[in-house]
Amino acid sequence: MTEADNWVEDLEENAAIARVFQNLNIYGERIGESGRNSEEGLSNERVDFVALPCGHRMPTDYIFSWFKYYIKQKKAEFSCPCFNVEGESCSVNLSYQEICQLMPLTDEQREFLEESLASLVARMLFDIKMCPGCQSYVERQDGGNLCVRCTICTANLNRKYYFCWKCGRDWKGPYTNAVRCENDGCGERMSTSEPLIPCNPEYKKKMLQEKGNEIYPVKDKSTDRKRLALLINNIEFKNLQNRAGADKDERSMEVLLEGLGYTVITLRDLSAQGISAALRDFAQREEHAHSDSCFVVLMSHGDASGISGIFESPENKDEEDVFQTDEIFNCLNSLNCARLRDKPKIILIQSCRGDQKGDVLVQDAVPRFRKHHLEKDFCCLRSCTPDTVSYRNEKKGSNFIQDTVEIFNQYAHQDDIEELFRKVLDKFRNSHPEQMPCKERTTLSKKFYLFPGL
């Protein structure tokens, strides 16, 4: 049997991977050409809707964002992301060909999908990683050796070039090693902030005994607990400046929320319609019935009128792409999200709320019908006060997200959510006087402790 025959046989053993390869059309004629301007990463029109084979009609930016999420989760097949009122996922599978025929993809979006899928499938079939020197993919021949030679870099540099398979840096140390290279921190998770401090079980027990009636019920860590967090991060815009550094905020928040026991659904680059669709589907998810709380994190441009979608244009106010934050509370309220009734819903919003500076110069000196409030058990922290700007560093990320992650990492093991938010405000008072986060529409009737690790 030839090497090619073996490769085909491997594909046949994994039907999902085989279907992906069959549906890719990387080098052939494009399918379903939309006529959009291929020089732009986003469609020329503001918001398109697509009718999926299952009957759901959703904004194309929302569907495409889910495709990127599937790829990030290392899933080689796409499916409809919609949920019904019972919290059940539609999960109707979509091939790459169907995506191209149904959606007005630009050349840049097609290239992203094709390269990502090809890379994902290759990783499933072969032991490959990207070389840190030339960014090309290298296959490891010896699975027991972390020292791998890149032939392209070797040719370009006129010397043998090796990198570490584990930490992804230039190799240091003996050329045969199955444990680690001699780079500092090899094999350890690289982080820009201090790690999340776990809660002491005795502290949790003490708090529940002494203040049980004052604390929201928290489910113990187990396979039955299904905490969810929704993270929406708009980075690339059609008419506004891209939010450089926002990817740092995204990763920092993902690491924090995962450490707190939440499964994080990260969706990028949504219109206002796409954000609304994401929130409506998130509210219907069945996992909330097996959770004790949820997080919603929204990061984008914004002003006094609301949160900017990716098609927002400051020159054309007749066709605004603006998301109103009221809709977050509407989607997750007692009527529309019964599975989160009486459970804390924590909301973090990173965006400007105007163009005014926030600092000034001053001189020293039981089953039955019962009444239930429509909006309760919320706690929302916004990155700045009304009408003022919110600052972001293009390399490090935003003050708000980075400082919030730092405070949670240091104090979530002992403080409740509102005390954590107070410490975030206090840090801004001392470190960033030009900006002040703001608590809004907080209706927590009890204290909410996260008890990380438990």
Side-chain angles (χ1 to χ4, degrees), residues 145-164:
N145 189 10
L146 295 176
C147 180
V148 179
R149 184 165 72 102
C150 174
T151 56
I152 295 178
C153 286
T154 295
N156 290 340
L157 299 173
N158 291 319
R159 61 175 175 83
K160 291 183 178 180
Y161 176 81
Y162 298 89
F163 69 94
C164 178

Side-chain angles (χ1 to χ4, degrees), residues 132 145-148 159-186:
N145 189 10
L146 295 176
C147 180
V148 179
R159 61 175 175 83
K160 291 183 178 180
Y161 176 81
Y162 298 89
F163 69 94
C164 178
W165 199 255
K166 180 175 287 187
C167 70
R169 290 176 283 179
D170 291 359
W171 182 264
K172 288 185 180 180
Y175 290 115
T176 301
N177 197 316
V179 181
R180 64 186 299 275
C181 69
E182 293 185 359
N183 281 305
D184 292 338
C186 178

Side-chain angles (χ1 to χ4, degrees), residues 310-341:
I310 55 174
F311 299 109
E312 171 67 352
S313 174
E315 287 79 24
N316 189 357
K317 291 299 181 183
D318 293 333
E319 294 186 354
E320 290 185 335
D321 185 23
V322 177
F323 174 79
Q324 303 299 326
T325 56
D326 285 353
E327 193 159 353
I328 302 175
F329 297 87
N330 182 52
C331 287
L332 299 177
N333 67 23
S334 302
L335 179 64
N336 294 325
C337 188
R339 294 181 183 87
L340 285 175
R341 192 178 295 159

Side-chain angles (χ1 to χ4, degrees), residues 69-229:
Y69 174 72
Y70 289 140
I71 291 173
K72 190 175 182 178
Q73 300 301 308
K74 296 181 173 58
K75 295 181 179 179
E77 285 191 303
F78 301 139
S79 60
C80 173
C82 301
F83 289 80
N84 59 27
V85 292
E86 284 76 33
E88 299 170 340
S89 173
C90 172
S91 298
V92 172
N93 289 334
L94 297 170
S95 70
Y96 177 73
Q97 286 178 311
E98 288 175 312
I99 295 168
C100 292
Q101 291 170 342
L102 291 170
M103 294 177 58
L105 299 177
T106 65
D107 281 354
E108 185 175 326
Q109 290 171 327
R110 291 172 184 273
E111 183 179 1
F112 169 82
L113 284 177
E114 291 173 350
E115 289 186 354
S116 299
L117 283 171
S119 172
L120 178 60
V121 172
R123 287 171 180 266
M124 292 178 178
L125 293 174
F126 309 105
D127 193 12
I128 66 169
K129 278 191 177 181
M130 184 178 289
C131 168
C134 63
Q135 310 304 309
S136 62
Y137 284 99
V138 178
E139 181 179 5
R140 181 167 64 159
Q141 301 297 327
D142 181 2
N145 189 10
L146 295 176
C147 180
V148 179
R149 184 165 72 102
C150 174
T151 56
I152 295 178
C153 286
T154 295
N156 290 340
L157 299 173
N158 291 319
R159 61 175 175 83
K160 291 183 178 180
Y161 176 81
Y162 298 89
F163 69 94
C164 178
W165 199 255
K166 180 175 287 187
C167 70
R169 290 176 283 179
D170 291 359
W171 182 264
K172 288 185 180 180
Y175 290 115
T176 301
N177 197 316
V179 181
R180 64 186 299 275
C181 69
E182 293 185 359
N183 281 305
D184 292 338
C186 178
E188 300 175 6
R189 188 168 193 168
M190 304 300 291
S191 176
T192 57
S193 61
E194 293 297 320
L196 180 67
I197 299 176
C199 179
N200 188 312
E202 291 301 318
Y203 177 78
K204 178 181 179 181
K205 181 178 179 181
K206 175 184 176 183
M207 294 300 294
L208 294 176
Q209 289 177 343
E210 296 179 356
K211 301 181 179 180
N213 295 330
E214 304 173 17
I215 298 175
Y216 279 97
V218 177
K219 292 181 177 292
D220 292 331
K221 184 178 181 180
S222 70
T223 55
D224 295 328
R225 187 182 72 181
K226 298 180 180 179
R227 288 176 169 174
L228 286 183

